[in-house]
Structures are given as C-alpha cells and as structure tokens.
Amino acid sequence: MLIGSPKEIKNHEYRVGLTPESAKELVMQGNDVWIETGAGRGIDATDEQYVAAGAKIVDGPDAIFAECEMVVKVKEPQAVERKKLREGQILYTYLHLAPDPEQTKDLVESGVTAIAYETVTGPRGQLPLLKPMSQVAGRMSVQAGATALEKAHGGRGVLLGGVPGVMPGKVVVIGGGVVGFNAAQMAVGLGADVTILDRDPEVLEKVGTHFEARASTRFSNAANLYDAVTTADLVVGAVLIPGAAAPKLVTREMLKDMQKGAVLVDVAIDQGGCFETSRATTHAEPTYVVDDIVHYCVANMPGAVARTSTYALNNVTLPHALRIARMGWKGALAADPHLAEGLNVHKGEITYRAVASELGYDYRPVAELLD
C-alpha cells in the first residue's frame, strides 16, 4: 500500500502521524511511505531520518492526498485538507466528529473511508488509541491549570501545593477515567487538596483505593458537583462518552458562585466540552475569562509535548496501520471487530451510531459493509 503522512497544520500542532521508526516498520512489510518534508520537525525527526528508514520525502501535502491510498495523521483534517480527500482513500487519524458538523459534512461529501483513533475499542471496552493522549492531556491539565492560577495569567494567585502554614489549593477532577486519574496523580504529586467525582461506584472504588487518603472521592450528583466546583481553585473536566458530545456539567449559573480567579480546564473540549461556557482555544491563546473564571480549553493539548505524544500514539496506532496496509481496510476490519468500531465514515455514510445520532445522519452499521 502507498501510505502518506502530511505535516500537521492545526494551530501549534507539532505531532506527526508516523515516526521514522513506524515508517520503517511499514516499509519492511513491503509498503511505500511518503512523508511531507519537515513533517517530523516538531518531534526532532529530520527528513534524513525518514529517508534512512526507507520513506520518500515529498514537497507539500498535495501529492500525499492525491496519490496515497492511506493518509495517516494525528489531528482531524482541516478544511483545506478535507478538500483534497477522495473516495477510495483511507483516512486514519483522530476525528472527534460528534461536535463538528462541518468536518462531518465534508468527510461525507468526499467519499473517504475515515477510521477514527478515538472510537477503536479494546477487548474490555477500553479505548486503547485514545488512552495515551488521555494520559498526556490529564497530566498536562494540572500543569496548565497551575499556570493559569498565577495572578499574572488572571488566576487567583494560588500555589496548588501551598507552603508550610498556608493551605494548598483545591483541585476538583470531574471524571475518574484515564484523563481524570492522570490529572489526580499530578495534582496529588504537587500536594494539592484533591477531590475526584464520578458516577460509577467501581471507578470511585478504584481511584479511592489507589490514592487512599491523598485524594477524596465523591459521587457525582448535582448537589455534590455544585459544592465541589464552587469551592475549588482548579476544576478539571475529564468526562467522556465515546464518540458522542460531552455533557455540559458545569453551567454558566454555577460560575457566579465560584471563587473569583478560579480556573476551569476542559479536557473534553475535543468532544464539545463539559462546561457550558467552553469554546475551543489554541496554544497561541489558550485562555479566556467568563464571569471572572479563567477557562483553558485547548483542543490539542498533547501537541505541546509533541515528542512524548507522538511516540506514545505511534505505539498504539502502528499495529492497526500495519494490518490495514496488509489486509486492506475491509479485511482488517472484518478480522478485528475492535478496529471496526473505529470506522466513522465510508463512501458518504456515517457508520458510527453516536455520530449519526448526534448530527442527524442515517446510520449504516459497519457489519453491513463487511458482509
């Protein structure tokens, strides 16, 4: 198969779809790999390293979109990239379609076969291609929140870990999944006063057992959520409904009762955000203020630590890429029902139920395409 990886063009996105090591693995299986010149610069991977791995360097993205059978990216294709997609081509990347009707419309009209990292499942229902970026984003959320809390950045001027004789900052993590667990780890490590909210008793038991007295757990109902959020210095939104838009758990009304200069970090922004006042921001302008509350809603947080993120992502995406290249998309999906969960769009049809439901499209089950 002819496989291409263009340079990412989203604001301050430094990751790349294929590392030189991944390119070499694909080449060793008999595939041809094209890399856009400079695509690996953000992870300190040179064109020469890709050439040494057996890949071909091409100028600009046009040849990749025009000729490659599979395009491997990190972030969702931007509008200018979507115009280049075509029927019969495989797009393998993060998509996050539910809160993005414009992207969905363009992918449907292109006829492309789009496989989304974030909806590929594992044998126990987990999301293995989303997990490493969730780990990165969870850990970064507390770093970003701690910075936003500084007075010079509009925050309350609170040090999360406190100092002897001064109370630590209060961190509330909404959601005890992968993002929430990693956020809590970082906040606990800084010495903050940490509370984790979730609606699943098993999740609460798991995080409670792990953190013991270093973090508190609370069942997430309206009363407990309000009480926790309105007394917090930093709130991390870590809620995920696979493939669907995130629920709006913190309302604008609640902001009026929060402490002035408190910070909201919305890690769910890729899926529309879990705060009513959330809107996607970039690394260039990461924060904004609503009702005296600082919002950090960067949609590609892991892009800031591109090298760590790219290698972590390739560890989990490469095995599926190798299988798709070897068997074709239909053979690979038929052989692996977990990978089949990643198919979101094919030849103008929506093949992921949550996206179809959220955006009002007819749903075409993947199984019908594989028969």
Side-chain angles (χ1 to χ4, degrees):
M1 185 177 282
L2 177 55
I3 301 163
S5 189
K7 185 177 181 179
E8 296 290 329
I9 61 173
K10 189 164 185 171
N11 182 284
H12 283 272
E13 180 53 71
Y14 303 106
R15 291 172 289 181
V16 62
L18 294 172
T19 64
E21 294 85 351
S22 294
K24 184 173 184 177
E25 291 288 325
L26 288 162
V27 170
M28 288 173 63
Q29 274 206 3
N31 302 291
D32 292 316
V33 177
W34 289 5
I35 305 292
E36 181 181 348
T37 183
R41 194 172 296 138
I43 65 165
D44 291 330
T46 65
D47 289 351
E48 290 74 21
Q49 287 176 295
Y50 283 105
V51 170
K56 176 183 176 181
I57 300 298
V58 298
D59 289 328
D62 290 351
I64 289 173
F65 284 103
E67 299 186 43
C68 288
E69 298 164 82
M70 177 161 66
V71 176
V72 181
K73 284 176 43 62
V74 178
K75 290 304 294 178
E76 72 281 356
Q78 303 302 290
V80 66
E81 295 175 309
R82 298 197 293 268
K83 293 176 182 177
K84 302 180 193 328
L85 296 168
R86 52 186 170 79
E87 186 172 329
Q89 189 172 57
I90 301 164
L91 174 65
Y92 184 46
T93 188
Y94 286 117
L95 292 175
H96 301 289
L97 294 180
D100 194 345
E102 289 186 13
Q103 183 197 176
T104 305
K105 178 176 178 290
D106 288 347
L107 294 183
V108 167
E109 291 178 351
S110 75
V112 74
T113 297
I115 299 173
Y117 296 157
E118 73 273 8
T119 62
V120 174
T121 58
R124 294 178 298 279
Q126 70 272 46
L127 302 170
L129 274 62
L130 186 62
K131 184 176 182 178
M133 295 306 95
S134 296
Q135 292 170 325
V136 171
R139 295 180 182 208
M140 285 190 68
S141 68
V142 175
Q143 285 185 200
T147 300
L149 269 172
E150 295 174 10
K151 202 67 179 176
H153 294 106
R156 297 193 70 221
V158 170
L159 181 65
L160 287 182
V163 291
V166 180
M167 296 292 287
K170 291 187 177 182
V171 177
V172 170
V173 180
I174 307 174
V178 177
V179 171
F181 181 85
N182 280 271
Q185 276 191 314
M186 293 294 282
V188 165
L190 287 173
D193 178 353
V194 182
T195 299
I196 306 160
L197 292 99
D198 203 283
R199 295 183 67 85
D200 186 336
E202 290 189 7
V203 170
L204 293 173
E205 182 178 355
K206 176 185 173 183
V207 296
T209 300
H210 177 84
F211 290 111
E212 296 179 324
R214 295 173 296 157
S216 302
T217 60
R218 298 183 75 174
F219 184 79
S220 185
N221 57 32
N224 287 343
L225 182 66
Y226 175 86
D227 182 60
V229 167
T230 54
T231 58
D233 297 297
L234 169 62
V235 179
V236 176
V239 179
L240 174 69
I241 300 175
K248 308 297 184 189
L249 298 179
V250 176
T251 66
R252 181 157 192 168
E253 281 294 308
M254 293 167 70
L255 265 57
K256 294 187 296 185
D257 296 328
M258 292 180 66
Q259 302 185 89
K260 182 178 179 180
V263 174
L264 298 178
V265 176
D266 197 341
V267 186
I269 194 64
D270 270 336
Q271 295 295 142
C274 59
F275 307 140
E276 185 181 357
T277 46
S278 291
R279 57 175 171 81
T281 61
T282 67
H283 288 292
E285 296 183 39
T287 63
Y288 60 93
V289 178
V290 176
D291 295 341
D292 296 320
I293 305 301
V294 180
H295 293 58
Y296 180 100
C297 304
V298 174
N300 60 327
M301 290 175 65
V305 287
R307 187 171 176 86
T308 297
S309 297
T310 296
Y311 277 92
L313 181 60
N314 272 236
N315 288 344
V316 293
T317 57
L318 178 62
H320 291 301
L322 290 166
R323 192 174 299 114
I324 294 167
R326 185 173 66 250
M327 305 173 69
W329 73 268
K330 186 173 285 190
L333 269 58
D336 185 350
H338 300 297
L339 179 58
E341 290 288 334
L343 187 65
N344 277 219
V345 182
H346 174 68
K347 280 190 177 181
E349 296 183 296
I350 299 295
T351 55
Y352 195 77
R353 187 184 297 276
V355 173
S357 174
E358 191 74 34
L359 298 179
Y361 285 87
D362 292 333
Y363 166 63
R364 180 79 182 274
V366 175
E368 292 183 7
L369 302 174
L370 303 179
D371 287 340

